[in-house]
Amino acid sequence: MYLSRFLSIHALWVTVSSVMQPYPLVWGHYDVCKTQIYTEEGKVWDYMACQPESTDMTKYLKVKLDPPDITCGDPPESFCAMGNPYMCNNECDASTPELAHPPELMFDFEGRHPSTFWQSATWKEYPKPLQVNITLSWSKTIELTDNIVITFESGRPDQMILEKSLDYGRTWQPYQYYATDCLDAFHMDPKSVKDLSQHTVLEIICTEEYSTGYTTNSKIIHFEIKDRFAFFAGPRLRNMASLYGQLDTTKKLRDFFTVTDLRIRLLRPAVGEIFVDELHLARYFYAISDIKVRGRCKCNLHATVCVYDNSKLTCECEHNTTGPDCGKCKKNYQGRPWSPGSYLPIPKGTANTCIPSISSIGNPPKFNRIWPNISSLEVSNPKQVAPKLALSTVSSVQVANHKRANVCDNELLHCQNGGTCHNNVRCLCPAAYTGILCEKLRCEEAGSCSSDSSQGAPPQGSPALLLLTALLGTANPLLF
């Protein structure tokens, strides 16, 4: 008896757990841009692809309505109740807070009673179309990570288009069409996302699934992001590596989930019947109680933090990148063309770090420095470390006292003229340069500099460098 009871409880727990957590955390990786690791040769930086956490993006948007005076309440007007369209004694009055329905109520916290919502004017000018454009703008490129959900307080519209922009509203393209009759409204055959596949996931469809009129529990419209992810990651999004690989290799797929603006085009309110009841036009209007848009700042896999300051979102760029989307290399870090980070290889990805420009660190005549590829530092090969961050110099006092400062540091770029730091102990200089920090021409030391003498002999190590290396070699490596 006890065993059967235990098994019953266990089965119930498994069922409840699966219901409560239908999906894993979709974007739970790539939350660190770099970390210090210890190798046999000391501390080195390990760079990784990184991105901000997914969050509620409605906290950062600006909303615009067109026409701008379409919100109800100015002048005050009556409208019909949601449940009974023939009880038309409700009032919208913009001058009275309790009776006003401004646009910001589309994004406030729900759960209060009575519920709050934005509402348009009624269809009092019928047969002129009652149409509204609701534009959501971020002034920043964002990546969608979950379904867009629109909750209507009135019936869902008979006709609606969800549109997106990738250029801050200059041009628009459809995301999805919604209608009670797709063929009549948009000359398109009705489809649902379930009719798509990996090969047709970018197809723009018209769906009749969300466009019924006044019926119980029919207030929500979805734009299905997760269902599209599932074509690559599996029905419960277990195989995210497959999705990451597709996002990496198919630019159109990544762009599909990327927006700067969204536009909800409400073209025809819920009528619920074939004909409009011209005697009760106060039945027809739009009312939205909630809009959910979940995503993250697009930082091209070069940042984990996106700050909101002065009503503007900006990535805090790593990997020597800069710009609102970390879309270019910093000044003096253009040693190779900028590239976005890569999700591959799983799980750390590839950072594609910007590297110093040759001109910014000194380029002797006829000397061609080839920088190593530091897009992703492998633990198995800790020697593949290259300079990062801003140029810096170190005083002779700091160099002399190894307890206060390392001789060199790839992050601070102490080594000059193209030199690279080896294990924080010494600079490996180009053939034409010498000195503890590669600060001197080798020909100057020999007193033989001329216009064509920049290609010096292989470095032999100055006495000062040899002495310093010997001193530091006996130090505890943890000091570095």
Side-chain angles (χ1 to χ4, degrees):
M1 180 178 69
Y2 292 107
L3 177 60
S4 61
R5 183 176 298 176
F6 171 77
L7 292 175
S8 299
I9 294 173
H10 181 265
L12 178 62
W13 170 250
V14 170
T15 302
V16 171
S17 298
S18 64
V19 171
M20 291 177 64
Q21 297 180 334
Y23 293 101
L25 289 176
V26 176
W27 302 90
H29 301 290
Y30 307 102
D31 54 353
V32 177
C33 293
K34 66 178 181 179
T35 184
Q36 280 195 321
I37 60 173
Y38 290 87
T39 69
E40 293 179 356
E41 299 192 3
K43 278 192 303 185
V44 296
W45 284 110
D46 186 22
Y47 297 93
M48 295 155 284
C50 53
Q51 62 187 0
E53 291 183 3
S54 176
T55 187
D56 176 9
M57 298 305 297
T58 60
K59 296 182 290 186
Y60 311 110
L61 62 77
K62 294 179 181 177
V63 60
K64 184 180 86 170
L65 269 60
D66 183 30
D69 59 349
I70 194 64
T71 300
C72 70
D74 187 16
E77 62 178 312
S78 298
F79 62 94
C80 302
M82 308 300 174
N84 187 342
Y86 296 100
M87 290 183 59
C88 301
N89 56 357
N90 297 296
E91 189 176 3
C92 179
D93 185 350
S95 63
T96 305
E98 293 79 10
L99 301 176
H101 298 282
E104 53 266 28
L105 295 184
M106 288 187 276
F107 312 104
D108 66 330
F109 290 105
E110 289 297 310
R112 292 176 293 170
H113 185 77
S115 59
T116 55
F117 52 91
W118 163 81
Q119 183 173 312
S120 75
T122 60
W123 205 355
K124 55 192 174 186
E125 295 186 14
Y126 178 83
K128 180 181 177 181
L130 179 61
Q131 298 182 347
V132 184
N133 287 345
I134 303 172
T135 304
L136 315 179
S137 302
W138 284 272
S139 300
K140 171 79 180 74
T141 311
I142 67 170
E143 297 170 330
L144 302 173
T145 61
D146 207 337
N147 293 354
I148 298 171
V149 183
I150 305 170
T151 304
F152 285 84
E153 189 66 20
S154 62
R156 295 180 290 194
D158 281 356
Q159 296 176 15
M160 182 188 116
I161 308 174
L162 179 65
E163 296 178 322
K164 61 170 282 189
S165 175
L166 265 172
D167 54 11
Y168 305 97
R170 287 187 287 273
T171 61
W172 295 91
Q173 52 190 291
Y175 239 165
Q176 193 149 293
Y177 295 87
Y178 303 80
T180 52
D181 188 333
C182 286
L183 200 58
D184 178 64
F186 302 114
H187 309 290
M188 300 172 68
D189 291 325
K191 284 188 178 181
S192 73
V193 175
K194 297 179 181 65
D195 299 321
L196 302 178
S197 66
Q198 284 191 10
H199 302 293
T200 60
V201 68
L202 303 184
E203 180 183 345
I204 308 304
I205 65 171
C206 178
T207 178
E208 297 176 358
E209 187 175 353
Y210 302 109
S211 300
T212 54
Y214 288 103
T215 59
T216 306
N217 300 322
S218 62
K219 294 184 176 183
I220 296 176
I221 282 180
H222 285 259
F223 178 70
E224 305 90 341
I225 298 288
K226 280 187 173 180
D227 286 345
R228 288 172 169 84
F229 287 164
F231 289 124
F232 306 99
R236 299 179 67 83
L237 305 183
R238 301 293 187 191
N239 185 13
M240 290 304 295
S242 174
L243 175 62
Y244 290 140
Q246 291 294 330
L247 290 171
D248 245 17
T249 56
T250 310
K251 184 179 185 298
K252 286 185 178 180
L253 182 64
R254 185 181 289 190
D255 287 348
F256 185 81
F257 301 112
T258 303
V259 303
T260 58
D261 306 77
L262 290 170
R263 185 163 69 184
I264 303 165
R265 293 184 59 195
L266 305 172
L267 303 179
R268 180 181 171 90
V271 175
E273 301 166 353
I274 298 176
F275 301 104
V276 173
D277 182 358
E278 297 184 41
L279 299 178
H280 299 88
L281 293 176
R283 294 173 55 188
Y284 309 121
F285 53 89
Y286 305 106
I288 297 178
S289 62
D290 191 42
I291 298 177
K292 285 186 171 62
V293 182
R294 193 165 183 85
R296 65 161 52 84
C297 291
K298 179 182 178 181
C299 301
N300 285 295
L301 295 176
H302 288 310
T304 59
V305 177
C306 193
V307 296
Y308 188 63
D309 189 30
N310 293 326
S311 300
K312 189 175 181 180
L313 284 166
T314 308
C315 300
E316 287 195 349
C317 301
E318 301 271 0
H319 304 156
N320 301 321
T321 61
T322 188
D325 300 343
C326 307
K328 60 183 180 179
C329 292
K330 283 183 178 179
K331 183 180 180 182
N332 297 331
Y333 286 88
Q334 298 164 349
R336 65 176 177 193
W338 173 91
S339 179
S342 168
Y343 287 113
L344 302 176
I346 303 292
K348 293 184 178 180
T350 305
N352 289 330
T353 310
C354 290
I355 62 176
S357 309
I358 302 302
S359 59
S360 69
I361 55 178
N363 185 18
K366 301 181 183 179
F367 178 71
N368 225 351
R369 174 70 171 161
I370 300 177
W371 288 94
N373 186 332
I374 57 168
S375 62
S376 181
L377 302 180
E378 300 294 339
V379 178
S380 59
N381 191 2
K383 294 181 180 179
Q384 290 182 351
V385 183
K388 185 180 179 293
L389 300 180
L391 288 166
S392 178
T393 56
V394 182
S395 69
S396 58
V397 175
Q398 287 177 308
V399 172
N401 187 352
H402 66 275
K403 292 183 179 179
R404 290 173 54 191
N406 299 332
V407 173
C408 59
D409 186 330
N410 273 319
E411 181 167 353
L412 295 177
L413 200 62
H414 293 161
C415 299
Q416 302 175 26
N417 298 310
T420 56
C421 181
H422 177 69
N423 201 25
N424 300 111
V425 172
R426 63 192 178 97
C427 292
L428 300 178
C429 302
Y433 286 87
T434 185
I436 293 177
L437 301 179
C438 308
E439 73 277 12
K440 303 188 281 189
L441 280 169
R442 186 174 296 282
C443 60
E444 284 181 355
E445 200 171 68
S448 58
C449 281
S450 64
S451 60
D452 60 349
S453 62
S454 58
Q455 295 285 347
Q460 299 297 322
S462 66
L465 176 58
L466 294 174
L467 176 60
L468 185 59
T469 303
L471 286 171
L472 297 180
T474 61
N476 186 336
L478 293 179
L479 292 175
F480 299 95

